Amino acid sequence: MYYVIKRPLITEKNSVLAEQGVYAFEVESKATKTEIKKAVEKFFHVKVSSVNTAMCRGRAKRTKFGVGQALTWKKALVRLKKGEKISLFEGA
């Protein structure tokens, strides 16, 4: 369970979502929604109502050595129950 959440995603768009109770994380690509839910509840001591996931495809990048591939990663949007907050995102 400790390997599921890699890092929080703090962007301008995610800051607007955080006001609505939805928080974004980069997660392990093989993690399931139930594993993500358990990990967020355990680490941040909150109650999760739903989890949405998306695979973010790595795009091709041109370099002077040819074409390279950026890594593919998984994003999780976690919706908390009413009244719950994660203090990590409050200072952003």
Side-chain angles (χ1 to χ4, degrees), residues 11-29:
T11 63
E12 190 172 334
K13 185 176 181 180
N14 291 337
S15 297
V16 173
L17 286 175
E19 294 172 2
Q20 301 169 1
V22 179
Y23 298 94
F25 297 95
E26 180 182 345
V27 295
E28 183 65 34
S29 61

Side-chain angles (χ1 to χ4, degrees), residues 2-72:
Y2 294 104
Y3 67 91
V4 174
I5 298 174
K6 290 185 176 180
R7 66 185 179 102
L9 297 175
I10 301 174
T11 63
E12 190 172 334
K13 185 176 181 180
N14 291 337
S15 297
V16 173
L17 286 175
E19 294 172 2
Q20 301 169 1
V22 179
Y23 298 94
F25 297 95
E26 180 182 345
V27 295
E28 183 65 34
S29 61
K30 294 185 180 183
T32 63
K33 290 182 180 184
T34 54
E35 290 174 344
I36 295 167
K37 180 179 178 178
K38 288 178 185 177
V40 170
E41 287 179 345
K42 183 175 180 180
F43 291 140
F44 298 108
H45 306 292
V46 293
K47 293 292 181 188
V48 175
S49 64
S50 67
V51 177
N52 293 336
T53 59
M55 291 299 293
C56 299
R57 185 172 57 95
R59 304 275 193 244
K61 303 266 186 182
R62 278 187 79 105
T63 64
K64 66 180 182 179
F65 302 109
V67 178
Q69 183 76 16
L71 294 177
T72 300

